[in-house]
């Protein structure tokens, strides 16, 4: 199947959000079409098409991962800090041993003037991980 990378990335970002709306995203193994499933059994596709009744059939539809599935949470933060803010490594490890870690981490990034570097690092890592995931899943990416 062939899928535009931008479509996979958008579906990943929807799957990655947390808070008020929970969302799972799927790609059809045959057509490459992306489907969005929102919380509370309110099933809908992004363009308001109906979801297939068999969306849970893993032989037909592949669930698109989120950051946790791709190990892009705390391990990515630690790798970034080791490379760009090595003097803050112990502080960041401590920050991530408590609740509210990302908010505190963002505060540290702001104080160090490293927000843009973090966003660039995270975005490149996400793209690399998603492209690797697509390759493993035999999804042919078009740019």
């Amino acid at each position: 199947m062939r899928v535009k990378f931008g479509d996979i990335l958008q579906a990943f970002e929807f799957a990655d959000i947390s808070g008020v709306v929970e969302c799972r995203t799927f790609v059809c193994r045959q057509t490459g079409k992306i489907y969005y499933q929102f919380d509370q059994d309110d099933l809908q596709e992004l363009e308001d098409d109906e979801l297939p009744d068999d969306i849970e059939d893993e032989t037909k539809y592949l669930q698109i991962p989120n950051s946790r599935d791709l190990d892009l949470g705390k391990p990515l933060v630690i790798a970034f800090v080791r490379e760009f803010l090595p003097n803050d490594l112990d502080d960041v490890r401590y920050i991530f041993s408590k609740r509210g870690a990302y908010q505190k981490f963002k505060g540290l990034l702001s104080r160090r003037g490293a927000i843009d570097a973090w966003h660039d690092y995270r975005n490149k890592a996400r793209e690399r991980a998603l492209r690797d995931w697509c390759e493993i899943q035999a999804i042919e990416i078009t740019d």
Side-chain angles (χ1 to χ4, degrees):
M1 92 188 91
R2 296 180 68 157
V3 183
K4 290 181 184 176
F5 184 74
D7 293 344
I8 291 284
L9 181 60
Q10 178 178 312
F12 169 82
E13 289 171 348
F14 267 90
D16 210 40
I17 61 174
S18 61
V20 178
V21 176
E22 295 295 321
C23 178
R24 295 188 317 155
T25 55
F26 300 85
V27 61
C28 177
R29 291 180 185 267
Q30 187 174 12
T31 66
K33 184 175 181 174
I34 306 288
Y35 292 92
Y36 296 77
Q37 179 185 36
F38 295 94
D39 64 347
Q40 300 174 338
D41 297 326
D42 178 24
L43 305 181
Q44 63 185 19
E45 197 268 333
L46 190 60
E47 297 172 358
D48 295 328
D49 291 340
E50 291 288 322
L51 273 176
D53 292 333
D54 58 352
I55 194 74
E56 300 289 337
D57 184 343
E58 294 177 4
T59 63
K60 295 181 181 179
Y61 304 95
L62 182 61
Q63 186 172 344
I64 295 174
N66 61 30
S67 287
R68 257 179 268 142
D69 298 331
L70 296 178
D71 218 12
L72 295 173
K74 180 180 174 183
L76 186 64
V77 168
I78 298 300
F80 171 81
V81 171
R82 274 193 183 115
E83 185 173 340
F84 292 93
L85 303 169
N87 293 335
D88 292 309
L89 186 56
D90 289 338
D91 291 339
V92 170
R93 282 189 177 131
Y94 178 75
I95 286 171
F96 276 84
S97 71
K98 308 283 184 190
R99 293 180 63 87
Y102 280 98
Q103 194 66 24
K104 292 174 185 166
F105 177 60
K106 287 178 185 177
L108 175 74
L109 291 173
S110 180
R111 289 189 303 276
R112 300 293 186 258
I115 290 174
D116 290 340
W118 163 245
H119 287 160
D120 185 54
Y121 186 88
R122 183 196 61 199
N123 291 342
K124 287 177 182 173
R126 288 164 72 176
E127 181 173 339
R128 198 170 40 250
L130 270 176
R131 287 183 183 276
D132 290 347
W133 178 82
C134 287
E135 185 175 332
I136 290 167
Q137 301 300 327
I139 298 171
E140 185 180 341
I141 294 298
T142 60
D143 288 308

